[in-house]
Amino acid sequence: MTMLTIGQLAERAGVATSAIRFYEEKGLVHSTRTTGNQRRYPQSTLRRVAFVRAAQRVGLTLEEVAEALATLPDNRTPTKSDWHKISREWKPRLEEQIRRIRLLEQRLDSCIGCGCLSLKSCSLMNPGDVVGEQGGKGAVLLEP
């Protein structure tokens, strides 16, 4: 089995070495240590890092990724079958996220049209001036 140093893994995966160490700290990837205490990663860790990065890109938390990876036997890299099962479980979460993004997109179109960005009247920043009515300072409200 081909083993990679942390630098080789980071370069090939397109992430910083600090990200690899962070992922390891969170239990998302695993290494062995040489007699000199240097980390070595199986080449299959590249797929695991790609899995983590893809999940992050669609808005999943590292906790959600860790839960999914923990369901795999022996901390192995997800196979096509594993990915299918995991993606089915994530589908409702992603659909809700898509719904929220579409609503935000609709609000942005109307907001950009007026150009005011007023914290007192902008429906994107403060729908119905709810925060103002509560004595708030105009927090950004993006929830539907």
Side-chain angles (χ1 to χ4, degrees), residues 103-104 107-108 111 117 121-127 140-142:
L103 182 59
L104 175 60
R107 289 180 176 178
L108 281 174
C111 187
L117 293 178
S121 62
C122 180
S123 64
L124 175 64
M125 300 297 283
N126 192 1
V140 177
L141 301 175
L142 296 176

Side-chain angles (χ1 to χ4, degrees), residues 26-89:
K26 297 294 182 186
L28 302 171
V29 299
H30 307 282
S31 69
T32 57
R33 299 289 181 135
T34 66
T35 55
N37 203 30
Q38 295 177 337
R39 291 175 168 95
R40 294 292 186 266
Y41 299 87
Q43 188 170 358
S44 62
T45 306
L46 285 166
R47 290 182 59 213
R48 239 177 131 82
V49 172
F51 177 86
V52 171
R53 303 241 323 148
Q56 285 183 294
R57 274 191 214 107
V58 297
L60 296 170
T61 66
L62 287 179
E63 290 77 22
E64 290 170 307
V65 176
E67 287 174 17
L69 290 173
T71 66
L72 303 175
D74 301 323
N75 294 312
R76 67 174 165 73
T77 301
T79 63
K80 183 177 180 178
S81 174
D82 295 327
W83 178 248
H84 182 69
K85 179 180 180 273
I86 290 168
S87 65
R88 262 196 337 255
E89 292 172 5

Side-chain angles (χ1 to χ4, degrees), residues 1-17 20 41-50 53 57:
M1 172 182 0
T2 302
M3 300 296 282
L4 303 171
T5 66
I6 191 169
Q8 291 168 325
L9 176 61
E11 183 177 346
R12 290 189 58 193
V15 299
T17 56
I20 301 295
Y41 299 87
Q43 188 170 358
S44 62
T45 306
L46 285 166
R47 290 182 59 213
R48 239 177 131 82
V49 172
R53 303 241 323 148
R57 274 191 214 107

